[in-house]
Amino acid sequence: MIADDIHTSKIGFLGLGSLGAPIAERLASGSRVFAFDPDPKRLSGLKNIESLSSPREIADCCDIIFACLAEKEHHHDALLGEQGILHGHRCKTYVHLGTSGSQFLNKLAEQLSAAGIATIDAPVTGGPPKARRGELTSIVAGNEVHVAAVEALVKRYSSKIVYAGMRPGQSQTIKLVNNAIALTNFVAACEAMVVGARAGINGATMLEVINSGSGQSHVSLDKFPRHVLPRSFDFGATLAIVIKDIELFLAEPAAQSMSTDTCRSALQAFRRAQEEGVEVDDLTAVIRPMERRAGVEVR
């Protein structure tokens, strides 16, 4: 199969959650997008997205199918299940946008390859806000010819594309490393900012110093000023998703043979927030149990 064999006028898309929906809408700028989500409400209000009844039906009319699904079982059902794309008659290329871990992605790619479907491992980083602006970073792994065939499509929702290598699964590992750093950094920042608030210091004052000094990061530049200080807690990723991501990182073969105590501590913070309940089910609300224990709010 060569790049010219792939027709991009019709694209399939599976999973229209907070990340998938804006990606699908950006793909629709130049192609007809046929989508499936088990929750039909997610299709409401989306522009230029046509609904079909199953992944298999999409695989009967589209050469390329993107999927942005949260859980492994969702991927398994949508790709390999009775109504999965494996049983369609047209799909040649599958683009995996989800974060599922390298071991799972490798097995998935093997099964799809046996049916003549090439897998491109292409998770994204940047979250829903950047997805809406078309500013995601895509981490892409797979055969270079197959990657070249979909590169123009990936650019519709990405401002940066990093090629990780020939083997699907390599992008998964990079994505999990990135997420582990970002999420652990956020938990540490929350703890530190609560200490400052307990001492009577305004959150904006702390950020002014942090963002002019060595503590500066995406956490202090974006998540705190946009989602924590205004008390909106609306970054767009649920606690369940980030817990899953850290668990997947810890399950990577390399991580299993190393000391990952700091990441495990961050995982416990997110689990605590989920168990105790927060006003909004969002990763940025992990600060709420810390604030409750300290008797303060970071504002």
mmCIF file of all heavy atoms in Angstrom, residues 142-185:
data_model
loop_
_atom_site.group_PDB
_atom_site.id
_atom_site.type_symbol
_atom_site.label_atom_id
_atom_site.label_comp_id
_atom_site.label_asym_id
_atom_site.label_seq_id
_atom_site.Cartn_x
_atom_site.Cartn_y
_atom_site.Cartn_z
ATOM 1 N N GLY A 142 4.963 4.444 13.332
ATOM 2 C CA GLY A 142 4.417 3.524 12.347
ATOM 3 C C GLY A 142 5.240 3.561 11.082
ATOM 4 O O GLY A 142 6.191 4.349 10.965
ATOM 5 N N ASN A 143 4.887 2.712 10.147
ATOM 6 C CA ASN A 143 5.573 2.680 8.861
ATOM 7 C C ASN A 143 5.554 4.064 8.225
ATOM 8 O O ASN A 143 4.520 4.726 8.162
ATOM 9 C CB ASN A 143 4.875 1.662 7.955
ATOM 10 C CG ASN A 143 5.533 1.547 6.606
ATOM 11 O OD1 ASN A 143 5.354 2.407 5.751
ATOM 12 N ND2 ASN A 143 6.304 0.485 6.405
ATOM 13 N N GLU A 144 6.699 4.502 7.724
ATOM 14 C CA GLU A 144 6.830 5.866 7.204
ATOM 15 C C GLU A 144 5.868 6.145 6.051
ATOM 16 O O GLU A 144 5.358 7.257 5.908
ATOM 17 C CB GLU A 144 8.270 6.125 6.761
ATOM 18 C CG GLU A 144 9.257 6.192 7.930
ATOM 19 C CD GLU A 144 10.691 6.400 7.457
ATOM 20 O OE1 GLU A 144 10.960 6.127 6.269
ATOM 21 O OE2 GLU A 144 11.518 6.836 8.274
ATOM 22 N N VAL A 145 5.622 5.150 5.215
ATOM 23 C CA VAL A 145 4.706 5.334 4.085
ATOM 24 C C VAL A 145 3.283 5.552 4.585
ATOM 25 O O VAL A 145 2.558 6.433 4.108
ATOM 26 C CB VAL A 145 4.768 4.119 3.129
ATOM 27 C CG1 VAL A 145 3.715 4.241 2.040
ATOM 28 C CG2 VAL A 145 6.152 4.006 2.520
ATOM 29 N N HIS A 146 2.875 4.773 5.577
ATOM 30 C CA HIS A 146 1.536 4.919 6.129
ATOM 31 C C HIS A 146 1.381 6.267 6.845
ATOM 32 O O HIS A 146 0.342 6.929 6.741
ATOM 33 C CB HIS A 146 1.236 3.782 7.109
ATOM 34 C CG HIS A 146 1.316 2.432 6.492
ATOM 35 N ND1 HIS A 146 1.648 1.295 7.203
ATOM 36 C CD2 HIS A 146 1.126 2.020 5.204
ATOM 37 C CE1 HIS A 146 1.649 0.253 6.398
ATOM 38 N NE2 HIS A 146 1.338 0.659 5.176
ATOM 39 N N VAL A 147 2.411 6.660 7.561
ATOM 40 C CA VAL A 147 2.386 7.952 8.254
ATOM 41 C C VAL A 147 2.263 9.092 7.247
ATOM 42 O O VAL A 147 1.490 10.026 7.436
ATOM 43 C CB VAL A 147 3.650 8.125 9.131
ATOM 44 C CG1 VAL A 147 3.745 9.555 9.650
ATOM 45 C CG2 VAL A 147 3.632 7.130 10.287
ATOM 46 N N ALA A 148 3.013 9.002 6.161
ATOM 47 C CA ALA A 148 2.967 10.047 5.137
ATOM 48 C C ALA A 148 1.573 10.185 4.541
ATOM 49 O O ALA A 148 1.132 11.288 4.189
ATOM 50 C CB ALA A 148 3.978 9.755 4.040
ATOM 51 N N ALA A 149 0.844 9.076 4.467
ATOM 52 C CA ALA A 149 -0.488 9.091 3.866
ATOM 53 C C ALA A 149 -1.502 9.872 4.697
ATOM 54 O O ALA A 149 -2.499 10.355 4.164
ATOM 55 C CB ALA A 149 -0.975 7.661 3.658
ATOM 56 N N VAL A 150 -1.258 9.972 6.005
ATOM 57 C CA VAL A 150 -2.234 10.660 6.866
ATOM 58 C C VAL A 150 -1.688 11.964 7.451
ATOM 59 O O VAL A 150 -2.377 12.638 8.217
ATOM 60 C CB VAL A 150 -2.695 9.739 8.024
ATOM 61 C CG1 VAL A 150 -3.304 8.454 7.480
ATOM 62 C CG2 VAL A 150 -1.550 9.415 8.979
ATOM 63 N N GLU A 151 -0.462 12.327 7.096
ATOM 64 C CA GLU A 151 0.170 13.495 7.715
ATOM 65 C C GLU A 151 -0.645 14.770 7.528
ATOM 66 O O GLU A 151 -0.798 15.566 8.473
ATOM 67 C CB GLU A 151 1.571 13.700 7.139
ATOM 68 C CG GLU A 151 2.338 14.837 7.803
ATOM 69 C CD GLU A 151 3.749 14.974 7.287
ATOM 70 O OE1 GLU A 151 4.139 14.214 6.354
ATOM 71 O OE2 GLU A 151 4.494 15.830 7.794
ATOM 72 N N ALA A 152 -1.192 14.984 6.346
ATOM 73 C CA ALA A 152 -1.970 16.202 6.105
ATOM 74 C C ALA A 152 -3.206 16.254 6.996
ATOM 75 O O ALA A 152 -3.624 17.336 7.432
ATOM 76 C CB ALA A 152 -2.378 16.288 4.633
ATOM 77 N N LEU A 153 -3.789 15.098 7.288
ATOM 78 C CA LEU A 153 -4.947 15.052 8.171
ATOM 79 C C LEU A 153 -4.545 15.369 9.610
ATOM 80 O O LEU A 153 -5.230 16.120 10.307
ATOM 81 C CB LEU A 153 -5.601 13.672 8.105
ATOM 82 C CG LEU A 153 -6.188 13.259 6.746
ATOM 83 C CD1 LEU A 153 -6.692 11.824 6.816
ATOM 84 C CD2 LEU A 153 -7.307 14.204 6.336
ATOM 85 N N VAL A 154 -3.439 14.789 10.050
ATOM 86 C CA VAL A 154 -2.971 15.025 11.416
ATOM 87 C C VAL A 154 -2.669 16.510 11.635
ATOM 88 O O VAL A 154 -2.896 17.058 12.715
ATOM 89 C CB VAL A 154 -1.734 14.150 11.714
ATOM 90 C CG1 VAL A 154 -1.163 14.461 13.098
ATOM 91 C CG2 VAL A 154 -2.099 12.675 11.619
ATOM 92 N N LYS A 155 -2.191 17.171 10.593
ATOM 93 C CA LYS A 155 -1.870 18.598 10.701
ATOM 94 C C LYS A 155 -3.111 19.459 10.907
ATOM 95 O O LYS A 155 -2.995 20.611 11.339
ATOM 96 C CB LYS A 155 -1.118 19.059 9.451
ATOM 97 C CG LYS A 155 0.330 18.597 9.400
ATOM 98 C CD LYS A 155 1.038 19.123 8.154
ATOM 99 C CE LYS A 155 2.507 18.722 8.141
ATOM 100 N NZ LYS A 155 3.198 19.209 6.922
ATOM 101 N N ARG A 156 -4.284 18.946 10.606
ATOM 102 C CA ARG A 156 -5.502 19.728 10.788
ATOM 103 C C ARG A 156 -5.786 19.998 12.266
ATOM 104 O O ARG A 156 -6.440 20.979 12.598
ATOM 105 C CB ARG A 156 -6.700 19.022 10.155
ATOM 106 C CG ARG A 156 -6.638 18.963 8.642
ATOM 107 C CD ARG A 156 -7.894 18.334 8.068
ATOM 108 N NE ARG A 156 -7.739 18.065 6.630
ATOM 109 C CZ ARG A 156 -8.637 17.446 5.876
ATOM 110 N NH1 ARG A 156 -9.776 17.029 6.437
ATOM 111 N NH2 ARG A 156 -8.416 17.236 4.596
ATOM 112 N N TYR A 157 -5.321 19.128 13.149
ATOM 113 C CA TYR A 157 -5.561 19.338 14.580
ATOM 114 C C TYR A 157 -4.260 19.475 15.375
ATOM 115 O O TYR A 157 -4.292 19.615 16.597
ATOM 116 C CB TYR A 157 -6.420 18.207 15.159
ATOM 117 C CG TYR A 157 -5.860 16.815 14.993
ATOM 118 C CD1 TYR A 157 -4.909 16.307 15.870
ATOM 119 C CD2 TYR A 157 -6.303 15.989 13.965
ATOM 120 C CE1 TYR A 157 -4.405 15.026 15.729
ATOM 121 C CE2 TYR A 157 -5.803 14.699 13.808
ATOM 122 C CZ TYR A 157 -4.864 14.226 14.691
ATOM 123 O OH TYR A 157 -4.362 12.948 14.561
ATOM 124 N N SER A 158 -3.118 19.436 14.697
ATOM 125 C CA SER A 158 -1.828 19.499 15.387
ATOM 126 C C SER A 158 -0.994 20.670 14.880
ATOM 127 O O SER A 158 -0.934 20.916 13.678
ATOM 128 C CB SER A 158 -1.036 18.207 15.155
ATOM 129 O OG SER A 158 -1.800 17.065 15.455
ATOM 130 N N SER A 159 -0.340 21.349 15.802
ATOM 131 C CA SER A 159 0.626 22.379 15.411
ATOM 132 C C SER A 159 2.044 21.818 15.388
ATOM 133 O O SER A 159 2.952 22.449 14.873
ATOM 134 C CB SER A 159 0.558 23.574 16.376
ATOM 135 O OG SER A 159 0.828 23.159 17.706
ATOM 136 N N LYS A 160 2.212 20.604 15.939
ATOM 137 C CA LYS A 160 3.532 19.962 15.953
ATOM 138 C C LYS A 160 3.345 18.452 15.841
ATOM 139 O O LYS A 160 2.471 17.871 16.511
ATOM 140 C CB LYS A 160 4.299 20.299 17.231
ATOM 141 C CG LYS A 160 5.735 19.764 17.266
ATOM 142 C CD LYS A 160 6.451 20.212 18.528
ATOM 143 C CE LYS A 160 7.896 19.729 18.561
ATOM 144 N NZ LYS A 160 8.718 20.316 17.492
ATOM 145 N N ILE A 161 4.159 17.827 14.999
ATOM 146 C CA ILE A 161 4.147 16.372 14.854
ATOM 147 C C ILE A 161 5.558 15.854 15.121
ATOM 148 O O ILE A 161 6.521 16.313 14.510
ATOM 149 C CB ILE A 161 3.696 15.943 13.444
ATOM 150 C CG1 ILE A 161 2.282 16.459 13.146
ATOM 151 C CG2 ILE A 161 3.743 14.425 13.308
ATOM 152 C CD1 ILE A 161 1.820 16.192 11.719
ATOM 153 N N VAL A 162 5.676 14.915 16.037
ATOM 154 C CA VAL A 162 6.967 14.306 16.361
ATOM 155 C C VAL A 162 6.917 12.839 15.947
ATOM 156 O O VAL A 162 6.041 12.089 16.385
ATOM 157 C CB VAL A 162 7.285 14.408 17.864
ATOM 158 C CG1 VAL A 162 8.610 13.725 18.175
ATOM 159 C CG2 VAL A 162 7.315 15.862 18.315
ATOM 160 N N TYR A 163 7.848 12.438 15.086
ATOM 161 C CA TYR A 163 7.899 11.049 14.635
ATOM 162 C C TYR A 163 8.732 10.246 15.625
ATOM 163 O O TYR A 163 9.921 10.507 15.832
ATOM 164 C CB TYR A 163 8.495 10.966 13.230
ATOM 165 C CG TYR A 163 8.484 9.569 12.652
ATOM 166 C CD1 TYR A 163 7.280 8.930 12.376
ATOM 167 C CD2 TYR A 163 9.667 8.891 12.386
ATOM 168 C CE1 TYR A 163 7.251 7.650 11.847
ATOM 169 C CE2 TYR A 163 9.657 7.616 11.848
ATOM 170 C CZ TYR A 163 8.441 6.995 11.582
ATOM 171 O OH TYR A 163 8.415 5.719 11.065
ATOM 172 N N ALA A 164 8.101 9.228 16.244
ATOM 173 C CA ALA A 164 8.752 8.469 17.312
ATOM 174 C C ALA A 164 9.492 7.244 16.818
ATOM 175 O O ALA A 164 10.397 6.752 17.501
ATOM 176 C CB ALA A 164 7.710 8.052 18.353
ATOM 177 N N GLY A 165 9.104 6.722 15.659
ATOM 178 C CA GLY A 165 9.771 5.532 15.163
ATOM 179 C C GLY A 165 8.842 4.660 14.350
ATOM 180 O O GLY A 165 7.669 4.960 14.151
ATOM 181 N N MET A 166 9.365 3.542 13.857
ATOM 182 C CA MET A 166 8.624 2.655 12.961
ATOM 183 C C MET A 166 7.621 1.760 13.680
ATOM 184 O O MET A 166 6.672 1.285 13.075
ATOM 185 C CB MET A 166 9.620 1.768 12.194
ATOM 186 C CG MET A 166 10.480 2.499 11.186
ATOM 187 S SD MET A 166 9.577 2.826 9.656
ATOM 188 C CE MET A 166 9.469 1.169 8.962
ATOM 189 N N ARG A 167 7.834 1.518 14.972
ATOM 190 C CA ARG A 167 7.042 0.502 15.659
ATOM 191 C C ARG A 167 5.893 1.114 16.457
ATOM 192 O O ARG A 167 6.128 1.912 17.363
ATOM 193 C CB ARG A 167 7.937 -0.305 16.603
ATOM 194 C CG ARG A 167 7.224 -1.375 17.391
ATOM 195 C CD ARG A 167 8.198 -2.236 18.173
ATOM 196 N NE ARG A 167 9.089 -1.453 18.999
ATOM 197 C CZ ARG A 167 8.755 -0.957 20.192
ATOM 198 N NH1 ARG A 167 7.551 -1.162 20.689
ATOM 199 N NH2 ARG A 167 9.631 -0.267 20.888
ATOM 200 N N PRO A 168 4.644 0.746 16.147
ATOM 201 C CA PRO A 168 3.526 1.182 16.985
ATOM 202 C C PRO A 168 3.758 0.751 18.434
ATOM 203 O O PRO A 168 4.190 -0.361 18.706
ATOM 204 C CB PRO A 168 2.324 0.456 16.376
ATOM 205 C CG PRO A 168 2.702 0.253 14.945
ATOM 206 C CD PRO A 168 4.179 -0.039 14.982
ATOM 207 N N GLY A 169 3.486 1.644 19.353
ATOM 208 C CA GLY A 169 3.762 1.413 20.766
ATOM 209 C C GLY A 169 4.799 2.379 21.291
ATOM 210 O O GLY A 169 4.775 2.753 22.471
ATOM 211 N N GLN A 170 5.709 2.808 20.405
ATOM 212 C CA GLN A 170 6.735 3.763 20.837
ATOM 213 C C GLN A 170 6.124 5.107 21.217
ATOM 214 O O GLN A 170 6.540 5.745 22.184
ATOM 215 C CB GLN A 170 7.777 3.930 19.722
ATOM 216 C CG GLN A 170 8.634 2.708 19.502
ATOM 217 C CD GLN A 170 9.578 2.846 18.315
ATOM 218 O OE1 GLN A 170 9.142 3.013 17.183
ATOM 219 N NE2 GLN A 170 10.868 2.769 18.579
ATOM 220 N N SER A 171 5.117 5.536 20.468
ATOM 221 C CA SER A 171 4.451 6.796 20.804
ATOM 222 C C SER A 171 3.715 6.689 22.132
ATOM 223 O O SER A 171 3.646 7.659 22.893
ATOM 224 C CB SER A 171 3.472 7.186 19.695
ATOM 225 O OG SER A 171 4.137 7.513 18.509
ATOM 226 N N GLN A 172 3.167 5.500 22.400
ATOM 227 C CA GLN A 172 2.463 5.302 23.664
ATOM 228 C C GLN A 172 3.401 5.537 24.846
ATOM 229 O O GLN A 172 3.040 6.200 25.821
ATOM 230 C CB GLN A 172 1.883 3.880 23.726
ATOM 231 C CG GLN A 172 0.728 3.639 22.772
ATOM 232 C CD GLN A 172 -0.491 4.457 23.109
ATOM 233 O OE1 GLN A 172 -0.901 4.529 24.269
ATOM 234 N NE2 GLN A 172 -1.091 5.083 22.106
ATOM 235 N N THR A 173 4.598 4.992 24.766
ATOM 236 C CA THR A 173 5.549 5.159 25.869
ATOM 237 C C THR A 173 5.906 6.626 26.065
ATOM 238 O O THR A 173 5.920 7.129 27.200
ATOM 239 C CB THR A 173 6.818 4.335 25.602
ATOM 240 O OG1 THR A 173 6.459 2.949 25.501
ATOM 241 C CG2 THR A 173 7.822 4.513 26.731
ATOM 242 N N ILE A 174 6.178 7.339 24.963
ATOM 243 C CA ILE A 174 6.508 8.767 25.079
ATOM 244 C C ILE A 174 5.342 9.535 25.693
ATOM 245 O O ILE A 174 5.528 10.392 26.569
ATOM 246 C CB ILE A 174 6.867 9.351 23.702
ATOM 247 C CG1 ILE A 174 8.132 8.704 23.156
ATOM 248 C CG2 ILE A 174 7.057 10.867 23.798
ATOM 249 C CD1 ILE A 174 8.470 9.123 21.744
ATOM 250 N N LYS A 175 4.123 9.237 25.244
ATOM 251 C CA LYS A 175 2.948 9.941 25.774
ATOM 252 C C LYS A 175 2.790 9.702 27.273
ATOM 253 O O LYS A 175 2.490 10.619 28.044
ATOM 254 C CB LYS A 175 1.687 9.475 25.036
ATOM 255 C CG LYS A 175 0.372 10.002 25.616
ATOM 256 C CD LYS A 175 0.232 11.509 25.510
ATOM 257 C CE LYS A 175 -1.018 12.031 26.217
ATOM 258 N NZ LYS A 175 -2.280 11.510 25.664
ATOM 259 N N LEU A 176 3.019 8.482 27.712
ATOM 260 C CA LEU A 176 2.875 8.169 29.134
ATOM 261 C C LEU A 176 3.961 8.837 29.968
ATOM 262 O O LEU A 176 3.709 9.265 31.097
ATOM 263 C CB LEU A 176 2.886 6.655 29.338
ATOM 264 C CG LEU A 176 1.638 5.931 28.812
ATOM 265 C CD1 LEU A 176 1.826 4.423 28.882
ATOM 266 C CD2 LEU A 176 0.392 6.354 29.582
ATOM 267 N N VAL A 177 5.179 8.927 29.435
ATOM 268 C CA VAL A 177 6.240 9.659 30.127
ATOM 269 C C VAL A 177 5.842 11.118 30.277
ATOM 270 O O VAL A 177 5.968 11.713 31.357
ATOM 271 C CB VAL A 177 7.572 9.530 29.346
ATOM 272 C CG1 VAL A 177 8.604 10.520 29.874
ATOM 273 C CG2 VAL A 177 8.108 8.107 29.434
ATOM 274 N N ASN A 178 5.339 11.712 29.203
ATOM 275 C CA ASN A 178 4.890 13.108 29.243
ATOM 276 C C ASN A 178 3.789 13.305 30.283
ATOM 277 O O ASN A 178 3.832 14.235 31.088
ATOM 278 C CB ASN A 178 4.375 13.513 27.858
ATOM 279 C CG ASN A 178 3.769 14.912 27.849
ATOM 280 O OD1 ASN A 178 4.473 15.912 27.782
ATOM 281 N ND2 ASN A 178 2.448 14.986 27.921
ATOM 282 N N ASN A 179 2.797 12.407 30.267
ATOM 283 C CA ASN A 179 1.677 12.543 31.205
ATOM 284 C C ASN A 179 2.121 12.363 32.645
ATOM 285 O O ASN A 179 1.637 13.071 33.541
ATOM 286 C CB ASN A 179 0.590 11.530 30.862
ATOM 287 C CG ASN A 179 -0.208 11.921 29.636
ATOM 288 O OD1 ASN A 179 0.179 12.839 28.909
ATOM 289 N ND2 ASN A 179 -1.303 11.243 29.383
ATOM 290 N N ALA A 180 3.023 11.427 32.875
ATOM 291 C CA ALA A 180 3.497 11.205 34.240
ATOM 292 C C ALA A 180 4.186 12.452 34.780
ATOM 293 O O ALA A 180 3.989 12.843 35.935
ATOM 294 C CB ALA A 180 4.449 10.006 34.277
ATOM 295 N N ILE A 181 4.991 13.105 33.941
ATOM 296 C CA ILE A 181 5.669 14.334 34.361
ATOM 297 C C ILE A 181 4.646 15.439 34.634
ATOM 298 O O ILE A 181 4.675 16.111 35.671
ATOM 299 C CB ILE A 181 6.677 14.792 33.297
ATOM 300 C CG1 ILE A 181 7.832 13.798 33.204
ATOM 301 C CG2 ILE A 181 7.208 16.194 33.602
ATOM 302 C CD1 ILE A 181 8.755 14.041 32.019
ATOM 303 N N ALA A 182 3.709 15.627 33.687
ATOM 304 C CA ALA A 182 2.736 16.711 33.817
ATOM 305 C C ALA A 182 1.847 16.530 35.050
ATOM 306 O O ALA A 182 1.598 17.487 35.794
ATOM 307 C CB ALA A 182 1.880 16.787 32.552
ATOM 308 N N LEU A 183 1.373 15.310 35.272
ATOM 309 C CA LEU A 183 0.443 15.070 36.378
ATOM 310 C C LEU A 183 1.148 15.108 37.729
ATOM 311 O O LEU A 183 0.598 15.629 38.719
ATOM 312 C CB LEU A 183 -0.259 13.726 36.166
ATOM 313 C CG LEU A 183 -1.172 13.676 34.937
ATOM 314 C CD1 LEU A 183 -1.631 12.252 34.663
ATOM 315 C CD2 LEU A 183 -2.376 14.604 35.112
ATOM 316 N N THR A 184 2.367 14.559 37.791
ATOM 317 C CA THR A 184 3.124 14.615 39.038
ATOM 318 C C THR A 184 3.501 16.049 39.375
ATOM 319 O O THR A 184 3.425 16.479 40.538
ATOM 320 C CB THR A 184 4.388 13.743 38.923
ATOM 321 O OG1 THR A 184 3.998 12.399 38.602
ATOM 322 C CG2 THR A 184 5.178 13.730 40.216
ATOM 323 N N ASN A 185 3.870 16.812 38.360
ATOM 324 C CA ASN A 185 4.185 18.227 38.543
ATOM 325 C C ASN A 185 2.974 18.985 39.079
ATOM 326 O O ASN A 185 3.091 19.843 39.970
ATOM 327 C CB ASN A 185 4.652 18.821 37.210
ATOM 328 C CG ASN A 185 5.166 20.240 37.338
ATOM 329 O OD1 ASN A 185 5.437 20.711 38.434
ATOM 330 N ND2 ASN A 185 5.297 20.921 36.215
#
